[in-house]
Amino acid sequence: EDQVTQSPEALRLQEGESSSLNCSYTVSGLRGLFWYRQDPGKGPEFLFTLYSAGEEKEKERLKATLTKKESFLHITAPKPEDSATYLCAVQSGANSKLTFGKGITLSVRP
Amino acid sequence: NAGVTQTPKFQVLKTGQSMTLQCAQDMNHEYMSWYRQDPGMGLRLIHYSVGAGITDQGEVPNGYNVSRSTTEDFPLRLLSAAPSQTSVYFCASKKGDSHGELFFGEGSRLTVL
């Protein structure tokens, strides 16, 4: 059974204070690891897909990296508008379905 | 394109009542799914479908039924609502069995009294 653990549960940063969010996973044959952003009262919005260890993807102040056991979402010089819940999910083996972690709630203070 | 459309956005039910949450997508996606999201639990898969006429159970299927008669629609039925089904429900779709991203609807908030 696929498992995804995200840490910390919540993170409070000052504007401009860089940090990283962690996603640890256990799967049998990773097909893809996904990062989503979710704003309050909205559905999750896709950010990145990573397929193999060593891969990196960037978008504005966000950079996602992948190893064989975990993924990091690095946030460089965050702004208040980066405040949201960040979800990690994995797809494995022959399955189409995604297994999600519980999410990390990020608050960035001005 | 509207993407993934869910209705209703809010619903209050009494224990034992039945209802259907509607989900429609206009992206010609083969794969559709229903998740529920509860505080501290994350998104949990209820049912999913890899194409018209094909459905399968996810992690928490009890108390819910689905059908997939067309590519576009994937309704979720609660036959006899229970307070434990109070949650926010999300419908999501993607292309076939690809690695493609999952597109989510805006969610349906259900309260069962």
Side-chain angles (χ1 to χ4, degrees):
Chain A
E1 184 178 324
D2 300 343
Q3 291 188 348
V4 179
T5 303
Q6 293 188 250
S7 61
E9 290 185 8
L11 183 62
R12 301 183 72 179
L13 300 174
Q14 197 70 33
E15 184 172 3
E17 179 187 3
S18 301
S19 188
S20 297
L21 312 181
N22 177 263
C23 171
S24 298
Y25 63 91
T26 303
V27 298
S28 54
L30 181 69
R31 294 187 66 191
L33 185 141
F34 304 83
W35 282 98
Y36 286 83
R37 169 188 171 130
Q38 186 175 23
D39 293 304
K42 301 289 186 181
E45 180 182 343
F46 172 78
L47 291 174
F48 303 110
T49 307
L50 302 168
Y51 296 109
S52 58
E55 188 175 1
E56 299 183 353
K57 294 274 181 74
E58 285 190 69
K59 180 181 180 180
E60 296 181 355
R61 295 176 292 282
L62 301 177
K63 183 170 82 171
T65 62
L66 182 65
T67 72
K68 289 186 177 180
K69 294 184 178 180
E70 57 192 352
S71 175
F72 291 94
L73 185 63
H74 305 279
I75 302 176
T76 301
K79 297 182 178 182
E81 53 261 42
D82 294 321
S83 297
T85 296
Y86 291 86
L87 305 174
C88 173
V90 296
Q91 182 181 10
S92 69
N95 291 325
S96 297
K97 53 187 178 180
L98 269 63
T99 300
F100 283 82
K102 295 180 180 181
I104 298 170
T105 300
L106 174 66
S107 299
V108 182
R109 301 187 300 273
Chain B
N1 285 345
V4 179
T5 303
Q6 292 183 232
T7 56
K9 286 185 167 42
F10 301 94
Q11 183 71 50
V12 178
L13 290 178
K14 294 182 180 179
T15 297
Q17 287 185 316
S18 62
M19 78 156 299
T20 300
L21 298 177
Q22 301 291 346
C23 175
Q25 53 91 9
D26 61 1
M27 297 173 283
N28 202 31
H29 285 170
E30 294 88 352
Y31 179 90
M32 296 186 74
S33 56
W34 278 101
Y35 286 85
R36 60 178 289 174
Q37 188 173 42
D38 302 291
M41 298 295 293
L43 284 162
R44 291 182 292 169
L45 183 64
I46 304 171
H47 285 286
Y48 66 100
S49 168
V50 297
I54 305 169
T55 63
D56 206 345
Q57 296 181 350
E59 181 185 356
V60 287
N62 293 340
Y64 308 95
N65 282 345
V66 292
S67 59
R68 185 90 181 274
S69 56
T70 68
T71 299
E72 294 79 18
D73 300 298
F74 191 46
L76 179 71
R77 297 183 183 86
L78 286 70
L79 298 179
S80 179
S84 60
Q85 293 178 304
T86 293
S87 187
V88 180
Y89 292 86
F90 289 99
C91 179
S93 71
K94 70 181 177 81
K95 289 183 179 180
D97 194 30
S98 70
H99 297 174
E101 63 186 88
L102 205 55
F103 291 83
F104 283 83
E106 293 283 278
S108 297
R109 182 175 293 275
L110 175 66
T111 301
V112 182
L113 303 175

